[in-house]
Amino acid sequence: MNGLQFQKKLLSMQENMMNFALMLTANKDDAQDLLQDTTLKVLDNQDKFVDNINFKGWVLTVMRNIFINNYHKIVRTQTVVDQSVDLYNLDVINDSGFDSPDGSYQIQEINKAINALNNDLKVPFSMYLNGYKYNEIADKLNVPLGTVKSRIFFARQELQKVLKDFHQG
């Protein structure tokens, strides 16, 4: 597909893109911003489009990824630390549900087991624990979605073996 065909195809999708943007943002102004950001990003990355890939799917995936990244940025900037909290004397053990010395020992063991995983398993598993979705992990690590899913699966299997004493049936 040459540059002109690419641009025409992108222009013909503006209505579809706007509908998808509205569905994601639920706000007309934000949807228009997202549409504009996506259009620019798609044009900037035209060379990355492969002809045998579904164009509409590719464009809407770009839009969804921009939306997700912007959402994470907003969440990070809106996270406020309560300055009145005494961070050094938090009642962490009671708040965690592990109300015994054994409980905090178990947390240490679990963390040690996670840290002992090889990086191929530890990195995606840790990202998953921190709230990243599979597709976000795949994008950040630049690996296929299936690879992310299998690495998280194998990390769980490995941790179950190592931590079998903590498993409560």
Side-chain angles (χ1 to χ4, degrees):
M1 180 183 330
N2 70 33
L4 193 55
Q5 289 172 312
F6 188 90
Q7 290 170 9
K8 280 184 180 177
K9 206 164 186 177
L10 184 60
L11 278 174
S12 73
M13 277 193 57
Q14 295 292 297
E15 191 177 333
N16 284 356
M17 291 168 66
M18 186 62 182
N19 290 337
F20 188 57
L22 278 167
M23 188 184 84
L24 290 171
T25 62
N27 174 306
K28 191 171 171 119
D29 291 336
D30 290 343
Q32 287 183 312
D33 289 345
L34 181 58
L35 174 69
Q36 188 175 10
D37 290 347
T38 304
T39 302
L40 290 171
K41 181 108 176 175
V42 166
L43 288 171
D44 285 347
N45 291 286
Q46 182 175 341
D47 57 319
K48 293 181 182 160
F49 177 72
V50 182
D51 270 347
N52 63 353
I53 293 177
N54 173 341
F55 184 77
K56 180 179 175 183
W58 182 71
V59 171
L60 295 181
T61 299
V62 170
M63 178 177 280
R64 191 195 65 213
N65 290 343
I66 291 171
F67 174 76
I68 290 169
N69 290 338
N70 288 344
Y71 174 79
H72 284 306
K73 218 178 285 173
I74 290 166
V75 168
R76 276 195 300 272
T77 58
Q78 289 180 348
T79 301
V80 178
V81 176
D82 183 352
Q83 299 297 326
S84 67
V85 174
D86 180 354
L87 296 175
Y88 296 102
N89 294 307
L90 285 176
D91 195 5
V92 174
I93 290 179
N94 288 339
D95 287 350
S96 70
F98 289 99
D99 50 6
S100 68
D102 289 343
S104 63
Y105 172 75
Q106 287 176 353
I107 292 172
Q108 290 171 348
E109 286 299 304
I110 292 167
N111 284 333
K112 193 161 55 170
I114 292 170
N115 287 327
L117 293 170
N118 73 47
N119 277 344
D120 280 350
L121 300 180
K122 178 174 52 179
V123 173
F125 185 75
S126 297
M127 289 175 76
Y128 181 75
L129 287 181
N130 284 312
Y132 285 91
K133 305 282 182 249
Y134 288 133
N135 60 324
E136 295 171 309
I137 297 168
D139 288 345
K140 297 258 187 237
L141 300 180
N142 203 22
V143 295
L145 185 62
T147 302
V148 169
K149 288 180 177 181
S150 63
R151 286 181 182 173
I152 291 171
F153 173 79
F154 290 129
R156 283 184 178 138
Q157 276 191 325
E158 191 69 30
L159 291 171
Q160 284 173 348
K161 273 189 257 171
V162 174
L163 299 170
K164 62 183 176 290
D165 296 338
F166 298 116
H167 182 69
Q168 298 178 355

